[in-house]
Amino acid sequence: MEGLWAPGVLLLSCLLLPSPAGTQPNPDPRLRTDPGEAPSPHHDARAPREQTAGGAQEGLPPQPRCVRCCEPPAQRFYPPYQPLPQINMTILKGEKGDRGERGMQGKFGKTGVAGSRGHAGPKGQKGSVGAPGESCKSHYAAFSVGRKKPLHSNDYYQTLIFDTEFVNLYNHFNMFTGKFYCYVPGIYYFSLNVHTWNQKETYLHIMRNGSEVVILYAQVSDRSIMQSQSVMLELREQDEVWVRLYKGERENAVFSDEYDTYITFSGHLIKYSGDP
């Protein structure tokens, strides 16, 4: 310990000794005055005061003295600018999340102005053949037929068969069966005209399907007369209308000959059921 203490005392003594005469500490290099450089305004302002205060003896040259002043603005130290690093957000993009629930429908906006008509497009390919449609149905129906032969009653009902055709539109009246078949549903008008026989009754019905609708009747008389009956019926499709002679419980007959037509049966459509 003694060997180390002695050099330390010696070093401290050297630091505390005054510097030699005529020597001054080396001032800060920034405070040195260059002889060739023009004095600053601060130096010019302080020079007279330093000469008055420092010159104890007039006639002696002034002693140079280092003056510490502030740094000129141009030589001030500013920290260097360091740009901040830029982060690429696309690198930090996470995974796509789940789709959220659908929101409520908003209000409809105002209708815009109709645009101009576009150009006609190319012609498309030919389509397939459609299903066949219903058969054409005419909304007309009319007939008028006659009989030139007389008819007498027997043990059975007899259908009046006609042998003369005046009008048979679309052949809705069948001349072989003596019946009118309804193909156009609606309201029809029918009329029956016969000639009675002397001393015999005349007893016939206008029939719809299998039911009597109206009767044409004439009592026994010494004179033959013309009798008629008419009716309006509302028919459905496939209904049948015809004339029936009553059976032989009563002797009855209708008269006619080959030269004149005494018996006629007519009918026509008044209103189609599909019309308003």
Side-chain angles (χ1 to χ4, degrees):
M1 291 296 292
E2 293 180 359
L4 295 176
W5 180 82
V9 173
L10 180 61
L11 179 61
L12 181 61
S13 300
C14 293
L15 294 174
L16 295 178
L17 290 177
S19 39
T23 63
Q24 294 181 356
N26 189 17
D28 190 352
R30 292 178 299 176
L31 301 179
R32 292 180 182 178
T33 304
D34 188 1
E37 183 180 0
S40 64
H42 300 280
H43 182 75
D44 293 341
R46 294 174 61 101
R49 292 194 301 269
E50 292 176 355
Q51 291 178 4
T52 303
Q57 298 180 1
E58 295 181 359
L60 294 177
Q63 297 294 328
R65 181 178 296 179
C66 295
V67 179
R68 187 180 183 86
C69 62
C70 60
E71 297 178 359
Q75 297 180 1
R76 289 182 181 179
F77 175 76
Y78 294 96
Y81 171 74
Q82 296 181 357
L84 297 176
Q86 300 293 330
I87 301 176
N88 189 355
M89 299 301 296
T90 58
I91 301 176
L92 302 179
K93 184 176 180 181
E95 296 180 358
K96 185 177 180 180
D98 297 334
R99 185 175 182 179
E101 297 181 358
R102 185 175 182 180
M104 298 178 63
Q105 184 177 1
K107 297 181 179 179
F108 291 99
K110 296 181 179 180
T111 304
V113 181
S116 57
R117 185 173 183 179
H119 300 287
K123 186 177 180 180
Q125 298 179 357
K126 186 177 180 180
S128 58
V129 179
E134 297 181 359
S135 58
C136 180
K137 296 182 180 179
S138 176
H139 295 168
Y140 299 97
F143 73 93
S144 181
V145 293
R147 180 183 173 95
K148 292 186 175 182
K149 296 179 180 179
L151 182 63
H152 294 267
S153 62
N154 56 25
D155 295 337
Y156 306 97
Y157 294 109
Q158 299 182 72
T159 301
L160 208 62
I161 302 298
F162 299 88
D163 50 28
T164 303
E165 183 179 82
F166 300 110
V167 174
N168 191 6
L169 189 62
Y170 307 120
N171 292 321
H172 290 180
F173 188 90
N174 192 319
M175 297 295 291
F176 298 97
T177 62
K179 295 182 179 181
F180 170 77
Y181 294 92
C182 178
Y183 295 100
V184 182
I187 299 175
Y188 286 80
Y189 174 81
F190 297 96
S191 64
L192 174 63
N193 295 276
V194 299
H195 193 280
T196 64
W197 199 293
N198 294 340
Q199 304 298 325
K200 291 184 179 181
E201 287 184 322
T202 303
Y203 194 177
L204 301 99
H205 283 106
I206 296 179
M207 307 289 293
R208 177 171 59 185
N209 299 326
S211 303
E212 303 94 344
V213 179
V214 293
I215 187 174
L216 186 150
Y217 178 75
Q219 293 180 346
V220 178
S221 175
D222 294 337
R223 298 177 60 185
S224 60
I225 58 175
M226 294 292 298
Q227 285 284 92
S228 66
Q229 180 65 280
S230 60
V231 65
M232 292 178 63
L233 298 176
E234 184 174 2
L235 302 181
R236 295 174 299 181
E237 193 171 355
Q238 301 301 324
D239 279 350
E240 302 174 1
V241 179
W242 47 289
V243 180
R244 184 186 71 178
L245 183 66
Y246 201 79
K247 58 185 178 179
E249 295 178 358
R250 299 180 179 180
E251 187 178 358
N252 65 90
V254 289
F255 175 81
S256 188
D257 59 34
E258 297 180 358
Y259 302 100
D260 296 307
T261 303
Y262 288 90
I263 304 171
T264 60
F265 182 44
S266 303
H268 65 275
L269 176 66
I270 296 177
K271 181 180 181 299
Y272 170 56
S273 61
D275 293 341

